[in-house]
Amino acid sequence: MTEIRFSSFPRTTPPPEFTTDLINAFVEVEQEIGTQHLEKGLTSDAVLEKLRPALLKLGFEVEHSKTADGKVRRPVFFGENGAPDLQYEIDAFQPSWGCGLEVEAGRAWMGNAIYRDLIQALVMDRSTFWL
């Protein structure tokens, strides 16, 4: 039995078919990342590290370091010659699903970073033509 709950948007359509596979990636490591099972919660980077193997199996590009080469970037605006003018860094992206993933720790809620992440997700390019 899992404690994981999720919502999918828009609520007027059923969740995408890949949702079950993605949720199962979290279920696989739930005992290692869930705050109900730990004395102290993990950082978002520690949670992403635990999720990495399952996400890679699902075809996600996953941030693997804080260096420029280790980041996953998605374009927002395109400029001259189709080059990205503005890009956002996210934790993981699955190109064939157009699915971005951002893992946040508790302080993201307290500092309202969650709202910034939601707005960024709405404007970033999710297509697969730009990789």
Side-chain angles (χ1 to χ4, degrees):
M1 187 91 174
T2 182
E3 297 290 331
I4 295 175
R5 299 182 340 228
F6 72 93
S7 291
S8 175
F9 297 92
R11 290 186 180 224
T12 55
T13 60
E17 289 184 27
F18 64 78
T19 303
T20 301
D21 292 334
L22 182 56
I23 296 303
N24 285 338
F26 283 84
V27 171
E28 284 179 30
V29 294
E30 183 177 6
Q31 298 295 315
E32 299 173 59
I33 66 173
T35 55
Q36 294 182 352
H37 309 287
L38 301 173
E39 247 181 73
K40 183 177 184 215
L42 301 174
T43 65
S44 58
D45 288 339
V47 171
L48 188 60
E49 192 58 38
K50 301 269 186 198
L51 285 167
R52 180 183 319 289
L55 293 176
L56 290 172
K57 277 189 221 173
L58 292 173
F60 277 85
E61 302 163 23
V62 183
E63 177 185 284
H64 55 82
S65 75
K66 295 296 183 188
T67 65
D69 289 342
K71 300 280 190 175
V72 175
R73 290 181 181 79
R74 295 302 304 158
V76 178
F77 297 124
F78 296 88
E80 287 186 21
N81 300 323
D85 269 354
L86 175 65
Q87 299 180 74
Y88 288 144
E89 295 172 352
I90 60 175
D91 290 329
F93 183 73
Q94 210 293 358
S96 63
W97 298 342
C99 176
L101 182 66
E102 190 69 29
V103 177
E104 294 294 356
R107 70 182 179 91
W109 289 100
M110 294 183 287
N112 292 327
I114 191 74
Y115 298 113
R116 180 204 63 221
D117 290 344
L118 287 170
I119 298 302
Q120 287 180 350
L122 290 171
V123 298
M124 81 176 62
D125 180 56
R126 291 176 301 280
S127 65
T128 59
F129 68 86
W130 187 92
L131 295 174

